[in-house]
């Protein structure tokens, strides 16, 4: 598995009984996952594919993290607030689509099961007994029925969990980077639960810190912590809760990896050129049986979880592990062929 963020780390946990090597150029949870807010809460809105997925994965994630007995897991609830007067009207419409326990509060919804945790603690906990190698992989090729990594590591199966960085050019899968900044502050105010409006503030943690963030800048892949952004996050947080005596402690930045349709991408990878060469009518909208798609040999992907990686990763890792070990089918909305067909139609 290349990539030791929440996707690669969590997948290694569900494959822990196999012969697994986890590789990352920076270390475990040192990329976007390190800077994640790691809030666990429902989506508020009308029903769509990503909301249905969150509705399905959130209960599994909450139970999974409870069973891990994490020191950082705090389940004090989350208050989702409307951003403006227009949003207040929308929230009235959204109420019928809520599938979780909630109470109305301040024109918003309070979810008592909402939680937060430490990204680092999760990733290190699930990789405790996993072989790990810190390396900036430079070369990957398929030779004699196995993958050869940097000419010295052989693998029967290769799983890419690399976030926004592409090690292999997969022409029909384009990951959308979203850069963000998060901060930790100390305050004399005690925040009783997580709150989300334009950004999020966390419940007060054991160390007396709260987290605020994160920002969203699409298609940005680089950036250093910006004090103006930190000040804006602090200003936004004061609109959600009365915070006194604020002291900025730390600033974090990271690049989330999303897909063009906001849905995760898991499973095998199609050899797009060979498939189109064999089935030319795919460019005209033809869809063929999954078994007729020509796949890259033993090459798989787990990517595109965006800002909800810590909600999605546990159940999707379980699903992917069952596909890899037992060939249990993955839901079509999550497989990469949905992106392949869109890409192919543009090639007419």
């Amino acid at each position: 598995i290349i990539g030791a963020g929440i996707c690669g780390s969590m997948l290694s946990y569900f494959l822990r009984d196999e012969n697994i090597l986890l590789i990352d150029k920076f270390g475990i949870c040192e990329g976007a996952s390190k800077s994640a807010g790691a809030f666990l809460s429902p989506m508020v809105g009308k029903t769509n594919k990503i909301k249905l997925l969150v509705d399905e994965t959130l209960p599994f994630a909450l139970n999974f993290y409870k069973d891990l007995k994490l020191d950082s897991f705090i389940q004090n609830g989350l208050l989702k607030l409307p951003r403006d007067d227009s949003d207040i009207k929308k929230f009235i419409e959204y109420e019928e689509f809520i599938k979780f326990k909630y109470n109305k509060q301040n024109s918003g919804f309070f979810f008592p099961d909402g939680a937060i945790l430490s990204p680092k603690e999760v990733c290190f906990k699930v990789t405790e007994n996993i072989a790990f190698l810190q390396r900036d992989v430079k070369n990957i090729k398929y030779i004699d029925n196995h993958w050869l990594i940097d000419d010295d590591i052989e693998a029967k199966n290769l799983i890419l969990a690399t976030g926004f960085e592409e090690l292999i050019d997969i022409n029909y899968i384009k990951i959308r980077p979203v850069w963000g900044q998060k901060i930790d502050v100390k305050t004399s105010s005690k925040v009783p639960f997580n709150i989300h409006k334009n950004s999020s503030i966390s419940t007060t943690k054991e160390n007396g810190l709260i987290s605020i963030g994160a920002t969203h800048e699409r298609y940005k892949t680089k950036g250093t912590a910006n004090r103006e952004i930190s000040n804006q996050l602090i200003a936004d947080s004061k609109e959600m809760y009365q915070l006194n005596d604020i002291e900025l402690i730390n600033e974090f930045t990271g690049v989330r990896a999303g897909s063009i349709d906001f849905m995760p991408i898991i499973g095998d990878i199609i050899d797009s050129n060979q498939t189109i060469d064999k089935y030319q009518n795919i460019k005209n909208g033809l869809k063929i049986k999954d078994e007729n798609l020509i796949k890259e040999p033993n090459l798989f992907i787990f990517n595109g979880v965006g800002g909800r990686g810590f909600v999605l990763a546990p159940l999707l890792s379980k699903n992917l592990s069952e596909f890899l070990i037992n060939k249990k089918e993955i839901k079509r909305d999550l497989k990469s062929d949905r992106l392949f067909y869109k890409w192919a139609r543009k090639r007419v």
Side-chain angles (χ1 to χ4, degrees):
I1 303 173
I2 301 181
I6 185 57
C7 290
S9 296
M10 191 65 69
L11 181 59
S12 74
Y13 176 85
F14 283 94
L15 293 172
R16 62 192 181 279
D17 293 332
E18 308 297 317
N19 185 18
I20 291 295
L21 175 63
L22 182 62
I23 304 174
D24 193 283
K25 67 178 177 179
F26 296 118
I28 294 172
C29 197
E30 285 295 332
S33 295
K34 175 184 178 181
S35 304
F39 292 93
L40 309 172
S41 65
M43 289 185 69
V44 172
K46 293 184 178 180
T47 297
N48 55 36
K49 289 181 180 179
I50 185 62
K51 183 181 181 301
L52 288 172
L53 184 62
V54 170
D55 287 349
E56 179 186 5
T57 56
L58 179 58
F60 184 90
L62 289 169
N63 288 327
F64 177 83
Y65 293 129
K66 285 178 187 176
D67 290 343
L68 279 184
K69 301 189 184 306
L70 302 166
D71 293 333
S72 63
F73 182 81
I74 305 174
Q75 195 170 23
N76 288 353
L78 181 138
L79 175 62
K80 173 72 173 179
L81 295 171
R83 290 169 291 186
D84 49 35
D85 290 342
S86 174
D87 234 14
I88 292 175
K89 295 178 182 178
K90 291 179 182 178
F91 270 42
I92 295 172
E93 299 174 13
Y94 296 158
E95 187 172 0
E96 66 176 291
F97 301 104
I98 297 175
K99 303 298 182 184
F100 298 88
K101 291 186 298 182
Y102 71 94
N103 303 308
K104 292 183 182 179
Q105 187 173 327
N106 296 352
S107 300
F109 304 110
F110 178 75
F111 299 99
D113 290 335
I116 192 172
L117 43 74
S118 162
K120 279 268 189 180
E121 187 187 12
V122 171
C123 290
F124 276 97
K125 184 81 171 181
V126 296
T127 59
E128 276 180 344
N129 300 309
I130 304 297
F132 174 75
L133 174 65
Q134 183 173 341
R135 176 185 288 189
D136 186 1
V137 173
K138 298 296 186 183
N139 186 27
I140 301 172
K141 51 192 173 185
Y142 192 72
I143 300 175
D144 298 331
N145 297 317
H146 68 266
W147 287 96
L148 185 62
I149 302 166
D150 288 343
D151 297 322
D152 66 340
I153 299 173
E154 294 183 4
K156 178 182 177 182
N157 300 291
L158 179 62
I159 303 150
L160 303 176
T162 54
F164 79 96
E165 298 189 58
E166 297 177 305
L167 288 178
I168 298 176
D169 181 23
I170 307 168
N171 52 16
Y172 71 95
I173 297 177
K174 298 302 176 188
I175 298 299
R176 184 186 62 188
V178 182
W179 186 90
Q181 181 166 321
K182 181 189 83 168
I183 59 175
D184 281 348
V185 303
K186 272 193 173 181
T187 169
S188 58
S189 305
K190 184 172 177 60
V191 183
F193 43 74
N194 305 309
I195 308 173
H196 180 82
K197 192 176 180 182
N198 290 313
S199 59
S200 300
I201 60 176
S202 73
T203 184
T204 304
K205 304 174 186 179
E206 284 187 3
N207 53 14
L209 298 179
I210 66 168
S211 296
I212 306 174
T215 58
H216 293 74
E217 293 187 51
R218 292 184 180 180
Y219 304 106
K220 180 177 177 179
T221 60
K222 294 180 181 179
T224 56
N226 183 306
R227 189 55 53 87
E228 286 187 16
I229 293 176
S230 296
N231 291 337
Q232 185 59 53
L233 285 170
I234 291 171
D236 290 344
S237 70
K238 290 180 177 179
E239 294 182 6
M240 293 183 270
Y241 198 81
Q242 183 175 340
L243 300 176
N244 301 313
D245 307 314
I246 296 174
E247 177 187 358
L248 178 63
I249 301 298
N250 213 339
E251 298 168 311
F252 306 90
T253 63
V255 183
R256 311 170 188 88
S259 68
I260 59 172
D261 61 3
F262 303 99
M263 290 289 284
I265 309 164
I266 67 173
D268 42 24
I269 295 172
I270 299 166
D271 186 324
S272 55
N273 293 324
Q274 285 197 46
T275 300
I276 283 185
D277 287 344
K278 187 172 182 179
Y279 303 99
Q280 287 288 320
N281 282 336
I282 288 177
K283 292 187 288 188
N284 299 319
L286 174 71
K287 291 188 177 181
I288 61 177
K289 292 181 179 179
D290 183 76
E291 58 265 28
N292 292 332
L293 292 167
I294 300 171
K295 309 291 178 60
E296 296 285 357
N298 301 329
L299 182 64
F300 308 94
I301 188 169
F302 187 6
N303 210 332
V305 295
R308 288 191 170 265
F310 286 83
V311 172
L312 301 174
L315 184 55
L316 296 191
S317 294
K318 181 176 183 290
N319 292 346
L320 182 51
S321 69
E322 291 171 342
F323 169 76
L324 293 169
I325 297 170
N326 301 318
K327 300 302 178 185
K328 185 175 179 179
E329 188 63 21
I330 293 171
K331 289 183 178 179
R332 180 164 291 275
D333 288 341
L334 302 175
K335 296 164 63 174
S336 74
D337 61 351
R338 72 185 196 271
L339 304 175
F340 165 70
Y341 285 114
K342 288 181 181 178
W343 171 84
R345 287 196 296 272
K346 294 179 181 178
R347 291 170 59 85
V348 175

